[in-house]
Amino acid sequence: MMKEKVVVSVGGSILIPGNGDSEYIMKLAEMISEISPDVQLVVVCGGGKIARYYTVTGGELGGTTYQLDMLGIGVTRLNAQLLAISLGDLSSTDIPLSAEDASKRSSHDNVIVMGGTVPGHTTDAVAAMVAREMRAERIVNATSVEAVYSDDPRRNPDAERFSRMTIDELKTIVYTEHGAGKSSVFDPLGIKIAKEEGIDILIVNGRDISELRNAILGREIKGTYVSSR
Ligand code: UTP
């Protein structure tokens, strides 16, 4: 039987919220190991606050955008290696450096873990590029919010919470958010690729392991289902 192919983008703030959080990574790895017989998985890791530390410090030291992106990529790859270590024999710490290589190396009996690829985008976009290469059924964005809202729910109690939306609706929200200078729920380039390829995006709270598991397996979620078709 053909396994469903799923690409997961795990925000760095989920993986490394503080200094040393092996407990969460261990639980994540346990869940991934448990479901790996049922799904062909690629997990793309973000950089989180450690990446931010490097890019801010590098900027203060006069780094170019290219150099700062390379610092960010370095951290995403370190985070990926932490998750790969915790997956043991199921994964390799010799992580793929491109979407093409990730897709080529992804198979039924392994889990590919990786970070960023080249300057100019984020790991959400990398997840979408890998999903395009391997013709994945869906992209799961494991983030620090519960769902997509019409506005920041901490500031606006009337913000609407979406359980389902179209990719064009997500695009509108992301562009509005960017205008306000906030970090986005999913990279605009990633949205563009998912729309072109007709790949759905599930946005879930990545700290909630059972929610993340449901999203990967295509089951009912509490987060937001973004339909691309
Ligand atoms: P992230 O994917 O973690 O960026 O990559 P982000 O979305 O800004 O971080 P979160 O989700 O809010 O935590 C960290 C940085 O690494 C560079 C970019 O500078 C990015 O902001 N990067 C990452 C690349 O240039 N290319 C890649 O393929 C990945």
Side-chain angles (χ1 to χ4, degrees):
M1 195 188 74
M2 278 282 281
K3 287 187 188 179
E4 276 196 313
K5 297 173 186 171
V6 181
V7 180
V8 186
S9 175
V10 189
S13 57
I14 301 299
L15 277 173
I16 318 281
N19 296 322
D21 190 28
S22 56
E23 197 184 322
Y24 171 76
I25 298 179
M26 217 181 292
K27 286 201 181 115
L28 176 62
E30 270 168 24
M31 183 273 282
I32 289 173
S33 305
E34 186 234 319
I35 63 170
S36 65
D38 302 321
V39 59
Q40 187 176 331
L41 260 188
V42 175
V43 183
V44 186
C45 299
K49 74 177 190 190
I50 301 175
R52 220 119 48 221
Y53 165 80
Y54 272 90
T55 50
V56 168
T57 308
E60 286 166 7
L61 297 171
T64 62
T65 307
Y66 181 93
Q67 288 170 328
L68 303 185
D69 278 352
M70 288 306 292
L71 288 175
I73 291 169
V75 177
T76 63
R77 289 176 174 167
L78 288 175
N79 285 346
Q81 286 177 55
L82 280 180
L83 180 58
I85 286 171
S86 72
L87 283 165
D89 292 343
L90 198 55
S91 194
S92 170
T93 51
D94 173 23
I95 61 170
L97 307 182
S98 71
E100 294 76 19
D101 195 26
S103 173
K104 257 185 230 146
R105 285 169 54 183
S106 170
S107 77
H108 292 257
D109 50 6
N110 69 6
V111 173
I112 296 293
V113 180
M114 69 186 297
T117 54
V118 292
H121 50 240
T122 73
T123 47
D124 290 343
V126 173
M129 289 170 193
V130 175
R132 174 173 63 193
E133 281 296 318
M134 66 190 278
R135 299 177 175 279
E137 268 78 21
R138 57 188 161 272
I139 299 164
V140 174
N141 189 26
T143 174
S144 55
V145 296
E146 303 279 333
V148 182
Y149 288 82
S150 59
D151 196 4
D152 186 343
R154 283 164 304 189
R155 268 180 278 166
N156 179 359
D158 296 327
E160 188 187 345
R161 177 177 174 149
F162 300 106
S163 55
R164 275 194 91 88
M165 68 197 312
T166 66
I167 199 144
D168 286 323
E169 287 165 340
L170 178 65
K171 207 168 147 185
T172 309
I173 285 180
V174 162
Y175 279 100
T176 319
E177 270 186 347
H178 266 250
K182 278 184 267 170
S183 92
S184 155
V185 70
F186 203 76
D187 183 306
L189 174 59
I191 293 177
K192 180 173 176 283
I193 294 169
K195 181 176 155 72
E196 283 166 3
E197 303 294 318
I199 306 170
D200 296 343
I201 306 171
L202 285 72
I203 294 166
V204 294
N205 177 0
R207 298 292 290 183
D208 182 345
I209 297 278
S210 78
E211 166 82 343
L212 178 54
R213 182 179 185 278
N214 285 340
I216 294 171
L217 296 175
R219 299 190 180 150
E220 200 64 35
I221 54 167
K222 292 183 260 175
T224 304
Y225 192 101
V226 184
S227 155
S228 292
R229 282 161 283 198

